[in-house]
Amino acid sequence: MKITRAITIFLLIASLLCLFAGCNGEEPIVTDPAPGGTEEPATELLVLVDNGKSDFTLIRSEEASGYYLDTAKAVNVKIKNTLCDKIKLADDWTGPLNPVPADAHEILLFETKRAESIQAMADLDIEGYLIRVTDCKVVIVGSSPAACNEALYYFFDTLIPEHTSGGRIALPIGFEKKQEFKSSDFDIAKALREGKTVCADFKLVFHYPGIEGFRVSQGSATDGKYAYVAMKDGSGAAEVDKIVKIDMATWDVVAVSETFPLDHANDITYDPVKKQLIVVNMLSNTVSLIDAETLAFIDATALTFGTWGAGYVDGASQYAFLAHGTPSGLVITDTDFKPIRSSPLADSTGYVGQGMDADSKYAYVPLSPSSGKNDNIIQIYDITTGEYLGIVSVATKMESESMFHANGKQYMHFNSQGSQIAELEYYIRFE
């Protein structure tokens, strides 16, 4: 009886060991869960195009202009030519009689009044772009025209091909692509050498109607903190001018010089070593030197050549001039105005020569429209070799006068109802 009870206890212990550890040293068998138990749900898709048809509307801002208006039109054309033959381009206007259903299928281009665009811009906490796919919207935003272009190239060249199958374009709902792209990363020389059409969008930041009879703006420059513009009074036989000093932090006028005999004052550049403004008189082939802090007249110096534009070559202690006579063209001099080298200027038929700007890489030569032209252009030259690289188009008929740069930004100065200054942003025209 005791033996039987011992055997029974032994068998019970062995059974428990098999239950917890598996018999013969094997792992316990785990069965698959029932179908659908823990499988990942299928990705929901937003069908953009199916068999060449789409029920989406392309939406731009009602207030879009310049780059944003032109590019919205170009995107519409590209979609019609490559994705589907019928898609409508509309603006973001809404009203009591024109409500937008919450589930309307839309491609939102750049900043619009739609909640999805507003949220995307708020979430774009870097200089670059963001593409987001919701349950009924494709949202594309960027921090600059160049960044918006990068977003569009990614959308058409990468995202669309990756999600196209059998004539159907279906984007994953919840997709998001945020990419850094700084405006300073834009390589204008590379774009021009590749034959790209380069443009500059502009945003007006300053308007000064003038003072007394001095209402015609001419040359301009900056020391990085202040901008300086020449305002001309051409009512007399000899042209006279005043220099206006502007705080670039607020765009307020902080000082106006006395009246100086600066002739046409066609351009100005700033010498950071001497802290002087170099004003191109143009009519008398001289430059006038003006103290940048006090706006006091220092001296006038005759040049060995005629000139209508001037710039300071960053980091080189050299001036760049647009010159005629001997030498001529784009002329580089030392700070005593002695010529070092020169190179020819490109043809500018249909445009009027104005001032210039220079940095460590390029010379920028703005020309205003004439002979029926609808834009200003900027000729770009390699500042070291003098090589002509091509032109940048600025879509305005206002008369450009000069250009200058400061703190990573470039500005164009216009003669339009006095002095107007615009901040420029370069980009490749989207096609």
Side-chain angles (χ1 to χ4, degrees):
M1 188 70 174
K2 292 181 179 179
I3 295 174
T4 302
R5 182 179 296 173
I7 293 172
T8 301
I9 293 172
F10 174 79
L11 292 175
L12 179 60
I13 293 172
S15 298
L16 289 173
L17 290 173
C18 285
L19 178 63
F20 287 105
C23 297
N24 301 321
E26 295 179 359
E27 292 292 328
I29 298 173
V30 179
T31 58
D32 291 333
T38 59
E39 289 183 357
E40 290 292 329
T43 302
E44 292 187 80
L45 299 174
L46 179 64
V47 179
L48 186 63
V49 176
D50 196 359
N51 292 322
K53 305 296 181 184
S54 177
D55 63 350
F56 276 74
T57 301
L58 193 63
I59 300 294
R60 63 165 176 83
S61 170
E62 181 185 11
E63 301 170 352
S65 62
Y67 165 83
Y68 299 98
L69 178 59
D70 293 341
T71 303
K73 295 176 181 178
V75 170
N76 189 37
V77 171
K78 188 174 183 68
I79 289 176
K80 288 180 177 179
N81 289 342
T82 61
L83 304 182
C84 62
D85 58 0
K86 291 182 180 179
I87 187 167
K88 181 182 178 182
L89 173 62
D91 62 44
D92 60 356
W93 182 84
T94 60
L97 301 179
N98 186 40
V100 177
D103 59 351
H105 283 176
E106 296 177 329
I107 301 174
L108 305 180
L109 284 181
F110 320 132
E111 292 191 63
T112 77
K113 296 174 185 175
R114 300 289 196 265
E116 294 86 352
S117 297
I118 295 171
Q119 186 61 57
M121 287 301 300
D123 293 339
L124 185 61
D125 52 1
I126 59 172
E127 191 175 349
Y129 67 82
L130 174 63
I131 300 174
R132 177 177 289 161
V133 180
T134 73
D135 58 350
C136 58
K137 302 279 193 287
V138 178
V139 188
I140 302 174
V141 297
S143 59
S144 67
C148 288
N149 266 8
E150 290 298 312
L152 292 173
Y153 295 139
Y154 179 86
F155 177 74
F156 282 104
D157 298 342
T158 301
L159 186 61
I160 292 297
E162 286 182 352
H163 296 90
T164 300
S165 178
R168 187 171 184 259
I169 303 173
L171 306 179
I173 294 174
F175 172 87
E176 186 168 301
K177 170 76 172 180
K178 183 190 291 187
Q179 180 65 48
E180 185 177 47
F181 185 86
K182 296 182 178 180
S183 298
S184 58
D185 292 338
F186 181 75
D187 190 333
I188 192 169
K190 180 176 182 292
L192 290 172
R193 287 188 173 113
E194 290 176 351
K196 306 291 187 181
T197 300
V198 181
C199 304
D201 201 35
F202 68 96
K203 176 178 66 177
L204 292 172
V205 296
F206 173 78
H207 179 221
Y208 178 70
I211 182 171
E212 300 170 352
F214 295 81
R215 302 188 183 279
V216 179
S217 61
Q218 294 296 335
S220 61
T222 183
D223 60 11
K225 182 178 180 180
Y226 298 100
Y228 304 85
V229 300
M231 301 299 294
K232 178 173 71 69
D233 177 8
S235 59
E239 296 183 15
V240 292
D241 312 81
K242 291 180 181 291
I243 303 297
V244 178
K245 187 174 184 177
I246 306 134
D247 186 338
M248 295 177 68
T250 61
W251 293 105
D252 292 328
V253 172
V254 296
V256 178
S257 75
E258 297 179 7
T259 299
F260 298 135
L262 303 177
D263 295 335
H264 203 64
N266 202 65
D267 203 8
I268 309 174
T269 194
Y270 174 73
D271 187 326
V273 176
K274 298 178 181 178
K275 302 188 184 307
Q276 296 175 351
L277 301 176
I278 314 299
V279 182
V280 173
N281 291 40
M282 191 171 83
L283 299 183
S284 57
N285 292 354
T286 61
V287 291
S288 295
L289 312 181
I290 294 177
D291 185 286
E293 181 179 357
T294 65
L295 300 185
F297 189 90
I298 298 173
D299 196 8
T301 301
L303 303 179
T304 60
F305 49 84
T307 181
W308 66 95
Y312 186 87
V313 183
D314 290 348
S317 296
Q318 296 174 341
Y319 297 124
F321 288 99
L322 304 176
H324 59 85
T326 304
S328 63
L330 177 61
V331 175
I332 307 300
T333 76
D334 62 19
T335 52
D336 292 323
F337 308 114
K338 295 179 180 179
I340 299 172
R341 61 183 181 276
S342 65
S343 52
L345 294 174
D347 177 67
S348 57
T349 301
Y351 295 91
V352 178
Q354 299 293 346
M356 69 172 296
D357 185 26
D359 57 26
S360 61
K361 293 182 178 180
Y362 309 117
Y364 307 82
V365 181
L367 299 102
S368 59
S370 69
S371 304
K373 299 293 185 180
N374 295 318
D375 65 341
N376 284 254
I377 61 172
I378 306 169
Q379 293 181 336
I380 310 294
Y381 298 84
D382 185 297
I383 197 66
T384 302
T385 66
E387 176 192 2
Y388 172 61
L389 301 173
I391 66 168
V392 173
S393 174
V394 186
T396 178
K397 291 183 179 181
M398 290 193 299
E399 181 188 15
S400 63
E401 291 296 336
S402 187
M403 293 175 62
F404 56 89
H405 65 280
N407 308 314
K409 298 179 180 180
Q410 193 159 38
Y411 301 88
M412 180 171 276
H413 180 219
F414 295 96
N415 174 38
S416 179
Q417 300 177 343
S419 168
Q420 297 203 55
I421 296 174
E423 181 183 333
L424 301 181
E425 289 187 294
Y426 295 106
Y427 64 93
I428 297 171
R429 188 172 68 193
F430 183 80
E431 296 176 318

